Amino acid sequence: MTDLSVTTDAQTQELTDGFHLVIDALKLNGIDTIFGLPGIPITDLTRMAQAAGMRVISFRHEQNASNAAAIAGFMTQKPGICLTVSAPGFLNGLTALANATTNCFPMILISGSSEREIVDLQQGDYEEMDQLAIAKPLCKAAFRVLHATDIGVGVARAIRAAVSGRPGGVYLDLPAKLFAQSIDAETGRKSLIKVVDPAPRQIPAQDAVQRALELLKHAKRPLILLGKGAAYAQADADIRSLVEKTGIPYLPMSMAKGLLPDTHAQSAAAARSFVLPGADVVMLVGARLNWLLSHGKGKTWGGKDQKAWGAQKFIQIDISPQEMDSNVRIDAPLVGDIGSCVSALLAGIGSDWAKPPAEWLDAIAERKNKNLANMAATLAKNPTPMNYHSALNVVRDIIKANPDAILVNEGANALDFTRSIVDMYKPRKRLDVGTWGVMGIGMGFSVAAAVVSGQPVIAIEGDSAFGFSGMEVETICRYNLPVCVVIFNNNGVYRGTDINPTGGPDVAPTVFVKGARYDKLMDAFGGVGVHATTPAELRKAMEQAVSSRKPTLINAVIDETAGTESGRITSLNPQSARKK
Ligand code: FYN
Ligand code: ADP
């Protein structure tokens, strides 16, 4: 029988082994949760971790477990742990590891692997694969441990690589033979490392702070752009002070929504296409000038064509020096951790900072108020069938009444409309498709958000997006998590109205089963399934879900003609020049 005891009881147990050392090394570093999927060779590791008091959350597919680990890392600043079996399980976890690295989320994918000597001679082992080599280009760092006495170092290196500097994904390869290696318990204990100061502060240089302040001070039309790096940094109070003391309007990237409440007077979110080209100095705080910001150039920024730079000057606060000048010139790079950079700026601002010119603030307010009024008018409508706006009007009210709830959001139109309609009130409450705009994060993020925070989770899902991780509703029910999944069901990808032009029996590639009853999936696992066709039904079901904290899935039926191709990024769809 498997010995589930842990090494702490040194008097009765003189030996320890790879299994126990991995668990001890994680626990020593304050890691108390593992997301994963048991199987050869890590089944006993999951059992022993649970026996040792860790929370072990088992998923139905590794990609979802890995997404869960990634977002747990974002929420806590501790690396989220995903544990998988070898080859296919490892590969299933890899997409989310790469996504975590792209998004700067700290996580460690730990995968069991097959016997080195057989893998390296390519002799055809069970699940043979050179996992370390495959992982390397897709993550920030990758390590393999061959000897039990090296487990402490391996885990310490993985933790440091994940959370220090720019956070990211780390791969830790643990061959099957390692787990059963026995060593003297005292030797084992001494080999473990409690990582001291895993994410050291990086203090910005004083001249860089002065350069940034100088630029900001003389701006006529300044703008602060808050990204998810600013949300990750957990410097919430100082960031708010910086915005409020300078009086500079700010624009949140989608996962920075709520860092200051979206209803804040200085939010320029509802005037996005006005402030980007209009600003003369833009300070980026934990946001990259990637595709989501049109690479800092082109018409979005007032450039005369798609490649031309606008007239802005940029200040960029980032922990990664290499981020500077990646797309356009950064006039004042401020390299350091956001907490240290923002507090240095605050110290330099003093108490007599002049607010930006009224002309700029008034022009923004005018545009913003116009957009808010248009939005309010649209939200007040109650069309039949329900559309994105009338359904999201309900979600907006539910989040307003429950600002601690976490909103998970994926899809195309379901993503874009939710981002602009549903206001967020607190930091790190909006978790979404991130830098890649990736589908499939929904249920993994939801499970982790509920497990890590204990708060209710509301997942607003396009019907297509839900399909990538839908089976995890069983996981949600199994752990009785307070997750309310709302599927915006319009019968297809983007819309449910496409037709097969050949007249053949197959439906169009973007069309799903019409009138699908996703709510019945939840019934199958003992959760609450609701079929909602009106805002009133949706509201009642969401209110009940949040107050009861019961796992709930609401099939919200949306007009199948609602939605546009790729939502607001239609322009990224290549078009054929050939006539159809
Ligand atoms: C925003 N807006 C509002 C509000 N908030 N109007 C009224 N009230 C409120 N509260 C306005 C805002 O000013 C914009 O109008 C518009 O709504 C959209 O705002 P958003 O969403 O901030 O801006 P936009 O242009 O969509 O942003 C570009 C983007 C974004 C690339 C950052 O589209 C994005 O994050 N996309 C991710 C897409 C994705 O990953 N999809 C998954 C793959 S889909 P104007 O100012 O008038 O422009 C596969 O097919
Ligand atoms: P968004 O998609 O919201 O624009 P990005 O993911 O593009 O945000 O950018 C986040 C940036 O924040 C990255 O360049 C990353 O290096 C940076 N970052 C992450 N954590 C910190 C931190 N603690 N201090 C400084 N910069 C950070």
Side-chain angles (χ1 to χ4, degrees), residues 104 166 227-229 232 253 286-288 290 318-319 336-338 435:
C104 316
R166 171 183 276 175
K228 60 171 128 46
Y232 174 79
M253 297 301 287
R288 287 169 285 186
N290 56 18
D318 206 291
I319 204 154
D337 70 276
I338 286 168
T435 305

Side-chain angles (χ1 to χ4, degrees), residues 106-127:
M107 70 168 285
I108 305 172
L109 174 67
I110 304 179
S111 295
S113 59
S114 299
E115 298 316 330
R116 290 267 23 104
E117 58 270 35
I118 304 179
V119 173
D120 289 346
L121 282 171
Q122 298 178 23
Q123 294 174 310
D125 203 0
Y126 166 76
E127 297 193 351

